[in-house]
Amino acid sequence: MKRALILVVAFLWLGDIVHSLPAGAAETQPSRQMEWEKTVAAARKEGALTVYVWLSGNMEKAVETFQKKYPEIRLTTVSGRGSSFIVRIASEIRAGKYLADVCICGVTSPYKVFYKNRFLDPINSALVLPEVIDESKWWQGKHHYQDGEGRYIFVFMGNPAGARVYYNKNLVNPSEFNSYWDILTPRWKGKIVAIDPNESSGGWRQLYYNPGLGPNYIRRLLVEMEPSVSRDERQATDWLAQGKFALSFFSRGVSEAKTQGLPVDEFLDSHFKEPLSISSGANGTIALMNGAPHPNAAKVFINWFLSREGQTTLQELMNTPLDQVESMREDIPKDPVPPEYRRRKGVNYIPMFTAERMESGPVLKLYNEIVKR
C-alpha cells in the first residue's frame, strides 16, 4: 500500500513537470528523434545524393566526409566556380532536369539566381536534429539566412570580412594606416589598382554599405586617387607583387603569393577603425534545391553538415595557410581558426550577406557614373 502511494505521488509530480513545460516541449525530443530515424531510413533506401559545391579551399573534401558517416548513401559532388557553374545549374533546372539535391554555393549566386528564380525549397523545414534547430548554439543566438524571408539560404560561415585592401611591403608601411581614409592622400595617387566592380562587386559593396565609408568614399577613391582598374583579380596581385602598384583593392591570390615569398600582405579587419563587416566567405551558404531527386538524403546531409560534428570537420579541413574560415556555430572548438581571423566578442559586425547588402545595382550605378565622366 505504501509503495503504491509513493508511485502515485511520483506520477502526479512528473505530470506537474510535464504540464509546466511549454506546449509541445515534452514530446519534442522523442518526436524529432523518430522523424530523424525515419528520414535516415528513407535516405538509405534512396541510396544516392548529389551536392553541387562552389569550389574554394577544401570544401569538396569537407563535403565528402559525409560518405564515411553514411556509406549506404552514394555521394556525388559536382564542383565548379564562376558564372558558368551557376548558369549550368540554372539551365538544368529550366530544362526540367532536377539533378542537384543540395548546393553549397558562393556569395551572391544563391540569392540572385536560385532564390529570385524560385529554384529553391525552404531549407528551414528540412532541419530536424535538435542540436541544429537550437538557435542558442549559433552566433548571436539565431540562425542566419541570406534571403529576407529567412527560409531558403542558410548562412553557416561567419568570417570577419577583412579590409580587402592589400599592399606591397616594400612600398607601404602598414603602421601608417588606421583608417580607410588614410589611403586617400596625394601620396598614393596613381599607385592603386582596383578590381572592376562589373567583374566582382563584393569588395565594393563592403565599402558602399559601410556607414563609416559609403558612396562618398568610393567617389573620392575613384576621382581623387585615379586608380587603375583591372578585370583580372590575379593580374592585379601580380602587379602588386611586382611593385607596379603600392596598394590593391579586392584582388585575389594574395595569400598564395605571400607564401611564395612575394612582398605582399593584407590589412586585417581590425587594422582600420571603421565598422567591421562579417561575410559568409566564398562558399558559406547551403540551400535545398527545388525538386531534389533525393529529398531524404538531402535532408540527412543538411542536418549532418550543420551539426556539431559536421561543422567541426568543416573548420578543421577548411583552415589552411591559404584560407581561414569560421563556422557560425559557437559550440565547436575554434582552435583551427587563427586568432586574428576569429570573430571577436563585443564587436558589432555588419553582416554583408543580408539581402539588402547583396544588391550591387546601386554600387554599379555609382561606379559607372563616375568612370564615364
Side-chain angles (χ1 to χ4, degrees):
M1 182 71 180
K2 184 177 180 181
R3 183 179 179 185
L5 181 61
I6 291 172
L7 290 173
V8 169
V9 171
F11 178 79
L12 292 173
W13 177 69
L14 287 171
D16 288 340
I17 291 177
V18 170
H19 287 299
S20 69
L21 292 172
E27 59 184 61
T28 296
Q29 290 279 4
S31 63
R32 288 289 183 187
Q33 183 61 30
M34 187 177 300
E35 181 183 354
W36 176 246
E37 290 173 0
K38 288 182 178 178
T39 302
V40 172
R44 286 173 173 150
K45 286 184 178 180
E46 290 172 351
L49 171 72
T50 300
V51 179
Y52 279 45
V53 181
W54 185 265
L55 194 57
S56 179
N58 285 331
M59 180 57 76
E60 191 170 14
K61 186 183 294 185
V63 168
E64 288 174 350
T65 59
F66 172 82
Q67 190 70 87
K68 297 179 182 178
K69 182 75 174 181
Y70 296 96
E72 308 92 338
I73 304 172
R74 180 170 44 81
L75 172 66
T76 300
T77 58
V78 180
S79 59
R81 191 184 181 96
S83 58
S84 60
F85 180 57
I86 301 303
V87 169
R88 170 186 172 179
I89 302 173
S91 298
E92 289 173 351
I93 296 174
R94 290 191 178 102
K97 298 178 180 179
Y98 297 93
L99 307 179
D101 293 299
V102 176
C103 185
I104 297 176
C105 287
V107 182
T108 58
S109 301
Y111 178 73
K112 291 188 175 182
V113 180
F114 299 153
Y115 174 72
K116 289 194 171 182
N117 286 288
R118 300 185 178 182
F119 292 163
L120 303 176
D121 281 343
I123 194 172
N124 64 341
S125 62
L127 305 182
V128 179
L129 287 177
E131 62 152 305
V132 174
I133 295 172
D134 185 355
E135 297 191 34
S136 70
K137 307 298 185 186
W138 299 84
W139 181 59
Q140 294 186 327
K142 64 180 181 180
H143 292 155
H144 292 265
Y145 291 87
Q146 198 174 69
D147 59 285
E149 294 182 63
R151 301 177 64 204
Y152 292 91
I153 307 170
F154 193 104
V155 179
F156 61 84
M157 274 188 198
N159 311 321
R164 302 289 300 274
V165 181
Y166 308 95
Y167 61 92
N168 183 296
K169 294 192 287 187
N170 295 333
L171 303 175
V172 172
N173 180 0
S175 65
E176 296 177 0
F177 298 79
N178 61 21
S179 167
Y180 282 92
W181 295 97
D182 292 336
I183 297 172
L184 306 187
T185 61
R187 178 181 177 184
W188 307 114
K189 183 176 180 179
K191 299 178 181 179
I192 300 172
V193 61
I195 301 303
D196 188 329
N198 294 287
E199 177 66 25
S200 178
S201 66
W204 293 97
R205 286 187 288 104
Q206 189 172 321
L207 297 179
Y208 187 91
Y209 292 110
N210 189 312
L213 300 169
N216 186 42
Y217 183 85
I218 293 176
R219 186 176 292 106
R220 287 189 57 189
L221 172 65
L222 293 172
V223 174
E224 297 177 18
M225 306 313 294
E226 298 180 1
S228 295
V229 177
S230 172
R231 296 182 70 91
D232 189 327
E233 296 166 311
R234 297 282 178 173
Q235 181 187 59
T237 299
D238 290 342
W239 286 343
L240 184 69
Q242 294 163 10
K244 185 175 180 179
F245 296 97
L247 295 158
S248 172
F249 278 77
F250 323 131
S251 55
R252 186 185 296 277
V254 173
S255 295
E256 293 94 322
K258 183 180 176 181
T259 59
Q260 294 168 10
L262 297 174
V264 293
D265 211 338
E266 176 184 9
F267 289 105
L268 295 176
D269 72 306
S270 57
H271 203 97
F272 296 151
K273 67 180 181 181
E274 283 74 31
L276 303 179
S277 302
I278 191 168
S279 78
S280 57
N283 49 6
T285 64
I286 184 169
L288 175 62
M289 302 305 296
N290 178 252
H294 313 103
N296 293 290
K299 187 180 289 189
V300 171
F301 175 82
I302 289 167
N303 282 269
W304 171 83
F305 187 77
L306 297 177
S307 72
R308 192 172 190 274
E309 177 185 339
Q311 290 294 289
T312 299
T313 300
L314 173 79
Q315 268 194 173
E316 290 174 350
L317 290 174
M318 288 294 289
N319 279 283
T320 70
L322 303 180
D323 198 14
Q324 299 81 35
V325 303
E326 184 174 4
S327 169
M328 283 288 203
R329 286 198 74 119
E330 295 280 36
D331 63 338
I332 63 176
K334 300 297 182 179
D335 298 345
V337 188
E340 64 270 27
Y341 291 101
R342 297 176 195 170
R343 295 187 298 271
R344 301 198 299 280
K345 295 190 181 300
V347 174
N348 187 24
Y349 291 100
I350 302 169
M352 295 305 298
F353 48 75
T354 58
E356 62 272 17
R357 297 190 184 101
M358 296 302 298
E359 295 296 339
S360 56
V363 182
L364 296 177
K365 183 175 183 292
L366 173 64
Y367 174 83
N368 291 324
E369 286 176 353
I370 294 172
V371 299
K372 288 177 180 178
R373 287 178 182 174

Short mmCIF file of all heavy atoms in Angstrom, two decimals, residues 220-263:
data_model
loop_
_atom_site.label_atom_id
_atom_site.label_comp_id
_atom_site.label_asym_id
_atom_site.label_seq_id
_atom_site.Cartn_x
_atom_site.Cartn_y
_atom_site.Cartn_z
N ARG A 220 35.40 59.55 -53.83
CA ARG A 220 36.71 60.18 -53.64
C ARG A 220 37.85 59.25 -54.07
O ARG A 220 38.85 59.69 -54.64
CB ARG A 220 36.89 60.60 -52.19
CG ARG A 220 36.05 61.82 -51.79
CD ARG A 220 36.44 62.32 -50.41
NE ARG A 220 37.87 62.64 -50.35
CZ ARG A 220 38.51 62.94 -49.21
NH1 ARG A 220 37.85 62.95 -48.06
NH2 ARG A 220 39.80 63.22 -49.24
N LEU A 221 37.68 57.96 -53.80
CA LEU A 221 38.69 56.99 -54.21
C LEU A 221 38.88 57.01 -55.73
O LEU A 221 40.00 57.06 -56.24
CB LEU A 221 38.29 55.58 -53.74
CG LEU A 221 39.13 54.41 -54.25
CD1 LEU A 221 40.56 54.50 -53.71
CD2 LEU A 221 38.49 53.07 -53.85
N LEU A 222 37.78 57.01 -56.45
CA LEU A 222 37.84 56.95 -57.91
C LEU A 222 38.26 58.28 -58.54
O LEU A 222 39.01 58.30 -59.52
CB LEU A 222 36.48 56.52 -58.46
CG LEU A 222 36.04 55.09 -58.15
CD1 LEU A 222 34.60 54.86 -58.58
CD2 LEU A 222 36.96 54.08 -58.82
N VAL A 223 37.80 59.38 -57.98
CA VAL A 223 38.08 60.69 -58.57
C VAL A 223 39.44 61.22 -58.17
O VAL A 223 40.24 61.64 -59.01
CB VAL A 223 36.97 61.70 -58.20
CG1 VAL A 223 37.34 63.10 -58.69
CG2 VAL A 223 35.63 61.27 -58.78
N GLU A 224 39.74 61.18 -56.88
CA GLU A 224 40.97 61.81 -56.38
C GLU A 224 42.20 60.92 -56.55
O GLU A 224 43.30 61.43 -56.81
CB GLU A 224 40.80 62.18 -54.91
CG GLU A 224 39.71 63.21 -54.65
CD GLU A 224 39.54 63.49 -53.17
OE1 GLU A 224 40.45 63.17 -52.37
OE2 GLU A 224 38.47 64.04 -52.79
N MET A 225 42.04 59.62 -56.41
CA MET A 225 43.21 58.74 -56.41
C MET A 225 43.51 58.17 -57.79
O MET A 225 44.57 57.57 -58.00
CB MET A 225 43.00 57.59 -55.41
CG MET A 225 42.66 58.05 -53.99
SD MET A 225 43.74 59.38 -53.39
CE MET A 225 45.29 58.52 -53.31
N GLU A 226 42.58 58.28 -58.71
CA GLU A 226 42.77 57.82 -60.08
C GLU A 226 43.37 56.40 -60.15
O GLU A 226 44.42 56.15 -60.74
CB GLU A 226 43.68 58.79 -60.85
CG GLU A 226 43.09 60.18 -60.97
CD GLU A 226 44.01 61.13 -61.73
OE1 GLU A 226 45.09 60.70 -62.18
OE2 GLU A 226 43.63 62.32 -61.89
N PRO A 227 42.68 55.44 -59.54
CA PRO A 227 43.22 54.08 -59.55
C PRO A 227 43.14 53.45 -60.93
O PRO A 227 42.25 53.77 -61.73
CB PRO A 227 42.30 53.34 -58.57
CG PRO A 227 41.00 54.07 -58.67
CD PRO A 227 41.37 55.52 -58.86
N SER A 228 44.07 52.55 -61.22
CA SER A 228 43.95 51.72 -62.42
C SER A 228 42.94 50.63 -62.11
O SER A 228 42.84 50.16 -60.97
CB SER A 228 45.30 51.12 -62.79
OG SER A 228 46.21 52.13 -63.17
N VAL A 229 42.19 50.23 -63.12
CA VAL A 229 41.13 49.23 -62.91
C VAL A 229 41.44 47.99 -63.73
O VAL A 229 41.80 48.09 -64.91
CB VAL A 229 39.76 49.80 -63.28
CG1 VAL A 229 38.68 48.72 -63.14
CG2 VAL A 229 39.43 50.99 -62.40
N SER A 230 41.32 46.84 -63.11
CA SER A 230 41.56 45.57 -63.79
C SER A 230 40.34 44.67 -63.64
O SER A 230 39.65 44.72 -62.63
CB SER A 230 42.79 44.87 -63.20
OG SER A 230 42.94 43.57 -63.72
N ARG A 231 40.10 43.86 -64.64
CA ARG A 231 39.03 42.85 -64.55
C ARG A 231 39.60 41.48 -64.19
O ARG A 231 38.87 40.51 -64.08
CB ARG A 231 38.27 42.77 -65.88
CG ARG A 231 37.53 44.06 -66.23
CD ARG A 231 36.75 43.90 -67.52
NE ARG A 231 35.62 43.00 -67.35
CZ ARG A 231 34.39 43.39 -67.01
NH1 ARG A 231 34.14 44.67 -66.79
NH2 ARG A 231 33.41 42.52 -66.89
N ASP A 232 40.91 41.42 -64.02
CA ASP A 232 41.60 40.16 -63.71
C ASP A 232 42.17 40.24 -62.30
O ASP A 232 43.15 40.94 -62.03
CB ASP A 232 42.73 39.93 -64.72
CG ASP A 232 43.35 38.54 -64.60
OD1 ASP A 232 43.42 38.02 -63.47
OD2 ASP A 232 43.79 38.00 -65.62
N GLU A 233 41.53 39.52 -61.37
CA GLU A 233 41.92 39.61 -59.96
C GLU A 233 43.34 39.10 -59.70
O GLU A 233 44.05 39.62 -58.84
CB GLU A 233 40.92 38.82 -59.11
CG GLU A 233 39.51 39.39 -59.14
CD GLU A 233 38.48 38.43 -58.60
OE1 GLU A 233 38.48 37.25 -59.01
OE2 GLU A 233 37.67 38.85 -57.75
N ARG A 234 43.75 38.08 -60.44
CA ARG A 234 45.11 37.54 -60.27
C ARG A 234 46.15 38.49 -60.86
O ARG A 234 47.24 38.64 -60.31
CB ARG A 234 45.20 36.17 -60.95
CG ARG A 234 44.28 35.12 -60.34
CD ARG A 234 44.82 34.56 -59.05
NE ARG A 234 43.90 33.60 -58.45
CZ ARG A 234 44.18 32.85 -57.39
NH1 ARG A 234 45.35 32.95 -56.82
NH2 ARG A 234 43.29 32.01 -56.91
N GLN A 235 45.81 39.09 -61.98
CA GLN A 235 46.73 40.03 -62.60
C GLN A 235 47.01 41.21 -61.65
O GLN A 235 48.16 41.67 -61.55
CB GLN A 235 46.15 40.56 -63.91
CG GLN A 235 47.06 41.53 -64.65
CD GLN A 235 46.36 42.15 -65.85
OE1 GLN A 235 45.32 42.79 -65.70
NE2 GLN A 235 46.92 41.92 -67.03
N ALA A 236 45.99 41.67 -60.98
CA ALA A 236 46.16 42.78 -60.04
C ALA A 236 47.14 42.40 -58.93
O ALA A 236 47.96 43.22 -58.51
CB ALA A 236 44.81 43.16 -59.44
N THR A 237 47.07 41.15 -58.47
CA THR A 237 48.01 40.70 -57.44
C THR A 237 49.43 40.63 -58.00
O THR A 237 50.40 40.98 -57.31
CB THR A 237 47.58 39.32 -56.91
OG1 THR A 237 46.28 39.44 -56.32
CG2 THR A 237 48.55 38.80 -55.86
N ASP A 238 49.58 40.18 -59.22
CA ASP A 238 50.91 40.14 -59.86
C ASP A 238 51.50 41.55 -59.94
O ASP A 238 52.68 41.77 -59.64
CB ASP A 238 50.81 39.54 -61.26
CG ASP A 238 50.51 38.05 -61.24
OD1 ASP A 238 50.71 37.43 -60.18
OD2 ASP A 238 50.06 37.51 -62.27
N TRP A 239 50.69 42.51 -60.33
CA TRP A 239 51.16 43.90 -60.43
C TRP A 239 51.58 44.43 -59.05
O TRP A 239 52.56 45.14 -58.93
CB TRP A 239 50.05 44.79 -61.00
CG TRP A 239 49.83 44.61 -62.47
CD1 TRP A 239 50.68 44.02 -63.36
CD2 TRP A 239 48.68 45.03 -63.22
NE1 TRP A 239 50.13 44.04 -64.62
CE2 TRP A 239 48.92 44.66 -64.58
CE3 TRP A 239 47.49 45.67 -62.89
CZ2 TRP A 239 47.99 44.92 -65.58
CZ3 TRP A 239 46.57 45.94 -63.89
CH2 TRP A 239 46.82 45.57 -65.23
N LEU A 240 50.81 44.05 -58.03
CA LEU A 240 51.13 44.47 -56.67
C LEU A 240 52.47 43.89 -56.23
O LEU A 240 53.32 44.60 -55.68
CB LEU A 240 50.02 44.04 -55.71
CG LEU A 240 50.16 44.49 -54.26
CD1 LEU A 240 49.95 46.00 -54.14
CD2 LEU A 240 49.15 43.75 -53.37
N ALA A 241 52.66 42.61 -56.50
CA ALA A 241 53.91 41.94 -56.11
C ALA A 241 55.12 42.51 -56.85
O ALA A 241 56.23 42.59 -56.31
CB ALA A 241 53.80 40.44 -56.35
N GLN A 242 54.91 42.90 -58.08
CA GLN A 242 55.99 43.46 -58.90
C GLN A 242 56.34 44.90 -58.51
O GLN A 242 57.36 45.43 -58.96
CB GLN A 242 55.61 43.41 -60.38
CG GLN A 242 55.47 42.01 -60.94
CD GLN A 242 54.69 41.97 -62.26
OE1 GLN A 242 54.42 43.02 -62.85
NE2 GLN A 242 54.33 40.77 -62.70
N GLY A 243 55.50 45.52 -57.71
CA GLY A 243 55.74 46.91 -57.33
C GLY A 243 55.20 47.91 -58.32
O GLY A 243 55.47 49.12 -58.19
N LYS A 244 54.43 47.44 -59.28
CA LYS A 244 53.81 48.36 -60.24
C LYS A 244 52.81 49.26 -59.53
O LYS A 244 52.59 50.42 -59.91
CB LYS A 244 53.14 47.57 -61.36
CG LYS A 244 52.56 48.43 -62.47
CD LYS A 244 52.03 47.56 -63.61
CE LYS A 244 51.45 48.43 -64.74
NZ LYS A 244 50.95 47.60 -65.86
N PHE A 245 52.18 48.69 -58.48
CA PHE A 245 51.26 49.45 -57.63
C PHE A 245 51.62 49.19 -56.17
O PHE A 245 52.12 48.11 -55.82
CB PHE A 245 49.81 49.04 -57.90
CG PHE A 245 49.35 49.36 -59.29
CD1 PHE A 245 49.37 48.39 -60.29
CD2 PHE A 245 48.91 50.63 -59.62
CE1 PHE A 245 48.95 48.68 -61.58
CE2 PHE A 245 48.49 50.93 -60.91
CZ PHE A 245 48.51 49.97 -61.89
N ALA A 246 51.32 50.16 -55.33
CA ALA A 246 51.61 50.03 -53.89
C ALA A 246 50.44 49.40 -53.14
O ALA A 246 50.64 48.70 -52.14
CB ALA A 246 51.94 51.39 -53.31
N LEU A 247 49.23 49.66 -53.63
CA LEU A 247 48.02 49.20 -52.95
C LEU A 247 47.07 48.56 -53.95
O LEU A 247 47.02 48.97 -55.12
CB LEU A 247 47.31 50.37 -52.26
CG LEU A 247 48.07 51.04 -51.11
CD1 LEU A 247 47.55 52.45 -50.88
CD2 LEU A 247 47.95 50.21 -49.84
N SER A 248 46.32 47.59 -53.47
CA SER A 248 45.35 46.91 -54.34
C SER A 248 44.04 46.71 -53.59
O SER A 248 44.04 46.26 -52.43
CB SER A 248 45.89 45.56 -54.79
OG SER A 248 44.89 44.82 -55.48
N PHE A 249 42.94 47.05 -54.23
CA PHE A 249 41.62 46.80 -53.68
C PHE A 249 41.01 45.57 -54.35
O PHE A 249 40.87 45.52 -55.57
CB PHE A 249 40.70 48.00 -53.94
CG PHE A 249 40.85 49.13 -52.96
CD1 PHE A 249 41.94 49.99 -53.05
CD2 PHE A 249 39.92 49.35 -51.96
CE1 PHE A 249 42.08 51.04 -52.17
CE2 PHE A 249 40.05 50.40 -51.07
CZ PHE A 249 41.14 51.26 -51.17
N PHE A 250 40.70 44.57 -53.54
CA PHE A 250 39.85 43.43 -53.93
C PHE A 250 40.50 42.45 -54.89
O PHE A 250 39.80 41.69 -55.57
CB PHE A 250 38.52 43.92 -54.53
CG PHE A 250 37.97 45.15 -53.87
CD1 PHE A 250 37.55 46.24 -54.63
CD2 PHE A 250 37.88 45.22 -52.49
CE1 PHE A 250 37.05 47.37 -54.03
CE2 PHE A 250 37.38 46.37 -51.87
CZ PHE A 250 36.97 47.44 -52.65
N SER A 251 41.81 42.39 -54.97
CA SER A 251 42.46 41.39 -55.83
C SER A 251 42.38 40.02 -55.17
O SER A 251 41.91 39.88 -54.04
CB SER A 251 43.91 41.78 -56.12
OG SER A 251 44.63 41.99 -54.93
N ARG A 252 42.83 39.00 -55.86
CA ARG A 252 42.73 37.62 -55.37
C ARG A 252 44.10 36.94 -55.44
O ARG A 252 44.92 37.27 -56.29
CB ARG A 252 41.72 36.84 -56.23
CG ARG A 252 41.44 35.43 -55.72
CD ARG A 252 40.53 34.69 -56.69
NE ARG A 252 39.23 35.32 -56.79
CZ ARG A 252 38.23 35.09 -55.93
NH1 ARG A 252 38.41 34.29 -54.91
NH2 ARG A 252 37.06 35.69 -56.10
N GLY A 253 44.31 35.99 -54.54
CA GLY A 253 45.53 35.20 -54.56
C GLY A 253 46.68 35.79 -53.78
O GLY A 253 47.83 35.35 -53.91
N VAL A 254 46.40 36.77 -52.91
CA VAL A 254 47.47 37.39 -52.13
C VAL A 254 48.07 36.41 -51.12
O VAL A 254 49.28 36.40 -50.91
CB VAL A 254 46.95 38.67 -51.44
CG1 VAL A 254 48.01 39.24 -50.49
CG2 VAL A 254 46.56 39.71 -52.47
N SER A 255 47.23 35.58 -50.51
CA SER A 255 47.75 34.59 -49.54
C SER A 255 48.74 33.64 -50.20
O SER A 255 49.80 33.35 -49.65
CB SER A 255 46.60 33.80 -48.92
OG SER A 255 45.76 34.63 -48.17
N GLU A 256 48.40 33.17 -51.41
CA GLU A 256 49.31 32.27 -52.13
C GLU A 256 50.60 32.99 -52.48
O GLU A 256 51.69 32.43 -52.31
CB GLU A 256 48.64 31.76 -53.42
CG GLU A 256 47.46 30.84 -53.19
CD GLU A 256 46.14 31.58 -53.21
OE1 GLU A 256 46.09 32.72 -52.69
OE2 GLU A 256 45.16 31.02 -53.73
N ALA A 257 50.50 34.23 -52.94
CA ALA A 257 51.69 34.99 -53.29
C ALA A 257 52.57 35.22 -52.06
O ALA A 257 53.81 35.14 -52.14
CB ALA A 257 51.29 36.34 -53.90
N LYS A 258 51.93 35.46 -50.93
CA LYS A 258 52.68 35.68 -49.69
C LYS A 258 53.44 34.43 -49.27
O LYS A 258 54.61 34.51 -48.86
CB LYS A 258 51.70 36.10 -48.58
CG LYS A 258 52.36 36.44 -47.26
CD LYS A 258 51.31 36.85 -46.23
CE LYS A 258 51.95 37.09 -44.87
NZ LYS A 258 50.91 37.47 -43.85
N THR A 259 52.81 33.25 -49.39
CA THR A 259 53.50 32.01 -49.01
C THR A 259 54.66 31.68 -49.96
O THR A 259 55.57 30.95 -49.59
CB THR A 259 52.52 30.82 -49.01
OG1 THR A 259 51.95 30.66 -50.32
CG2 THR A 259 51.41 31.03 -47.99
N GLN A 260 54.63 32.27 -51.15
CA GLN A 260 55.72 32.08 -52.11
C GLN A 260 56.87 33.05 -51.88
O GLN A 260 57.85 33.06 -52.62
CB GLN A 260 55.19 32.25 -53.54
CG GLN A 260 54.19 31.17 -53.95
CD GLN A 260 53.46 31.51 -55.24
OE1 GLN A 260 53.83 32.46 -55.96
NE2 GLN A 260 52.43 30.74 -55.55
N GLY A 261 56.73 33.87 -50.85
CA GLY A 261 57.79 34.80 -50.51
C GLY A 261 57.71 36.14 -51.20
O GLY A 261 58.64 36.95 -51.10
N LEU A 262 56.62 36.40 -51.91
CA LEU A 262 56.46 37.69 -52.58
C LEU A 262 56.08 38.77 -51.57
O LEU A 262 55.41 38.48 -50.57
CB LEU A 262 55.41 37.58 -53.68
CG LEU A 262 55.76 36.60 -54.82
CD1 LEU A 262 54.60 36.44 -55.79
CD2 LEU A 262 57.01 37.07 -55.55
N PRO A 263 56.48 40.02 -51.80
CA PRO A 263 56.32 41.09 -50.79
C PRO A 263 54.92 41.69 -50.76
O PRO A 263 54.72 42.88 -51.01
CB PRO A 263 57.35 42.12 -51.25
CG PRO A 263 57.39 41.98 -52.73
CD PRO A 263 57.21 40.51 -52.99
#
